[in-house]
Amino acid sequence: MTSLPSERNTAYWRPRRLLITRSARAWDHGVAIAQRAAEQGVPVIELPNDRVVWAQPEDPRAAYAEAKATLAVVVAPPSKLKLEPIAPSADWRVDLAAGCPAHCSYCYLAGSLKGPPITRAYANLDEILGVLPSYMDKGTITSRSATRVHEGTTFEASCYTDPLGIEPITGSLSRMIEWFGRSDADTQLRFTSKFADVAPLLALDHNGRTRMRASINPKRYARFEGGTAPVALRLAALRQMADAGYPVGLTIAPIIAADGWEEAYGTLIDDAAALLGDVPDLTIELITHRFTTGSKAVLDSWYPGSALDMTDADRMTKRTKFGTEKQVYDTATMQRLRGWFTETIARTLPLARVLYWT
């Protein structure tokens, strides 16, 4: 089994404080999260009601930092028990939490989550797991894809959080992996991560029903991914998961068309091939950088002075199915990027299967 490099730790996140609401304390899983946090030396604050509030600095930058250092244990609202399709990744989106402890200058969650960027873990995990059987064999995304129907009904767990990043405190991902491992249905759990502490997952009875993907980007763009594990550690962790029998994949995202991108991504794909080139069931998802007016405003307030290009250069406006607008690379840039990635991956990682480009 491949060992993780020892020169740096896996950058696993330990919150500065844990807040637990009154309703969350009624769930065994919520209590277990709080106990695990206390055992790791994290101060636990029992809130008198279900409002997630505490004394915050008036300075916006300091308030942002305090929010990012906070984990709240709450009860997922009823809307989280009504799953939605999540194209092109999976048939259904299932959330273990909302919010992420990382500091990414391109954060996909910016503008889509209300209030301070606190990570909120769900205490009613048993209730969330309880609704999953009613969604089996009813998928409309991968289940209707000729190239992916063999995956069974797919559930994506990393749309609104990085479940591995918070796993040392929550334990939610392990419980969900074991639930899918026991399932009699033809199904697959999926999650992607920028963290690398996979040790708690390696010995689980996963039954091959969970696919982990590592979200990766070249070293020159690492400055846009604060608080995460180095890419080399993410790749090594993915190899560990493959050696433990998990199906695995790469999420190359967001693809950034900055000067020198061909060399940067070429090196990244070479590094991935060196560790994962012999994995027979390796998937790749390719996601280009995009942003909305709202997310740009939030990101500019969170990361003033960021070198990430969010200007109109080489961009075009695309309207989503929800009627909102986002800025994506223009047609010529998209064609150049897609052609290069398609050719390079086919040559360097011939066993890999590209699931989609977006």
Side-chain angles (χ1 to χ4, degrees), residues 207-222:
N207 199 25
R209 295 190 184 279
T210 294
R211 183 182 296 273
M212 175 185 169
R213 299 103 74 209
S215 180
I216 59 174
N217 241 319
K219 288 183 178 180
R220 70 172 57 186
Y221 304 139

Side-chain angles (χ1 to χ4, degrees), residues 236-250:
L238 202 65
R239 180 70 214 202
Q240 284 192 310
M241 292 289 277
D243 289 343
Y246 286 87
V248 297
L250 300 170

Side-chain angles (χ1 to χ4, degrees), residues 155-174:
F155 294 82
E156 176 62 63
S158 48
C159 293
Y160 273 64
T161 191
D162 187 315
L164 184 60
I166 60 177
E167 178 65 5
I169 297 289
T170 69
S172 300
L173 181 59
S174 293

Side-chain angles (χ1 to χ4, degrees), residues 4-42:
L4 287 172
S6 59
E7 65 272 13
R8 288 184 59 183
N9 63 34
T10 56
Y12 99 80
W13 180 64
R14 179 177 295 169
R16 193 170 299 162
R17 66 188 63 81
L18 181 141
L19 314 177
I20 182 167
T21 65
R22 182 174 58 192
S23 293
R25 296 196 293 275
W27 291 88
D28 288 344
H29 187 61
V31 173
I33 294 174
Q35 290 176 341
R36 193 177 293 110
E39 290 168 359
Q40 297 182 31
V42 177

